[in-house]
Amino acid sequence: LQKLIHLLQATDDPLIQEQALITLSNSAAFSVNQDIIRSLDGLSVIGGMLSDCVPKVKEKALNALNNLSMNIKNQEKIQVYIPQVCRIVESAPLNSDLQLAGLRLLTNMSVTNDYHQKMINSIPCLLHLLSEGTERTQIQVLKVLVNLSANPAITRPLLRAQV
């Protein structure tokens, strides 16, 4: 895991970055690896890949963060990327794998009320995706919206959102 994280930092080759991110994502299926990746500062390295200009690299980074977000301690670190993930979801091509990867991460990060405030500004975008997206996109958006709607503090922003 340490070598993969160092490889991500050392290379500019998008194909190598994609493969390293896929391997880290698969490794994150095991809780012990989630802790190891966090302790090696892997979350910030992977989070840094969200700024990459290659959409596939961003998508693989989102997938890795999504798997890593199944851990509460990791969520505390990943939450700093929520505004950036929201921007990615808003700017990604409609129904793209990149957009869906961002929505999946937002779904996991919205399971508890802890980070809902960071998603409020994206409610209009989510509602737009609900009306314009394909069924796959709509289902993922609904998961986020259901999680947000469980928080009474989000009721007003949900009802006031301009679509």
Side-chain angles (χ1 to χ4, degrees), residues 79-113:
Q79 57 97 13
V80 300
Y81 301 108
I82 291 175
Q84 187 176 4
V85 173
C86 290
R87 286 191 301 275
I88 290 170
V89 167
E90 291 174 20
S91 64
L94 183 63
N95 306 313
S96 64
D97 289 337
L98 176 60
Q99 190 173 62
L100 287 166
L103 288 168
R104 282 191 295 272
L105 178 54
L106 292 178
T107 299
N108 279 352
M109 294 300 293
S110 64
V111 168
T112 66
N113 295 356

Side-chain angles (χ1 to χ4, degrees), residues 3-115:
K3 289 187 186 301
L4 282 169
I5 292 167
H6 286 302
L7 180 63
L8 272 179
Q9 293 173 306
T11 186
D12 291 330
D13 184 331
L15 293 175
I16 293 172
Q17 290 171 334
E18 277 184 63
Q19 289 305 310
L21 288 165
I22 289 169
T23 304
L24 285 168
S25 181
N26 291 340
S27 298
F30 303 97
S31 57
V32 67
N33 290 343
Q34 293 171 3
D35 294 332
I36 292 169
I37 292 169
R38 182 182 63 254
S39 71
L40 294 171
D41 200 33
L43 297 173
S44 65
V45 173
I46 296 167
M49 304 307 288
L50 297 177
S51 300
D52 200 278
C53 59
V54 179
K56 279 290 182 192
V57 171
K58 279 187 203 179
E59 175 195 336
K60 302 308 183 213
L62 287 165
N63 288 338
L65 289 174
N66 183 47
N67 287 350
L68 289 160
S69 73
M70 302 306 286
N71 176 310
I72 296 297
K73 288 182 181 177
N74 285 353
Q75 281 192 1
E76 293 170 6
K77 304 263 186 195
I78 293 169
Q79 57 97 13
V80 300
Y81 301 108
I82 291 175
Q84 187 176 4
V85 173
C86 290
R87 286 191 301 275
I88 290 170
V89 167
E90 291 174 20
S91 64
L94 183 63
N95 306 313
S96 64
D97 289 337
L98 176 60
Q99 190 173 62
L100 287 166
L103 288 168
R104 282 191 295 272
L105 178 54
L106 292 178
T107 299
N108 279 352
M109 294 300 293
S110 64
V111 168
T112 66
N113 295 356
D114 297 343
Y115 310 113

Side-chain angles (χ1 to χ4, degrees), residues 86-144:
C86 290
R87 286 191 301 275
I88 290 170
V89 167
E90 291 174 20
S91 64
L94 183 63
N95 306 313
S96 64
D97 289 337
L98 176 60
Q99 190 173 62
L100 287 166
L103 288 168
R104 282 191 295 272
L105 178 54
L106 292 178
T107 299
N108 279 352
M109 294 300 293
S110 64
V111 168
T112 66
N113 295 356
D114 297 343
Y115 310 113
H116 287 182
Q117 292 296 325
K118 293 177 177 271
M119 299 179 202
I120 284 179
N121 292 336
S122 292
I123 290 173
C125 171
L126 294 172
L127 294 172
H128 171 75
L129 293 176
L130 187 59
S131 65
E132 297 296 322
T134 61
E135 186 175 316
R136 278 179 38 181
T137 300
Q138 290 172 336
I139 288 169
Q140 209 56 56
V141 168
L142 283 171
K143 290 177 180 182
V144 177

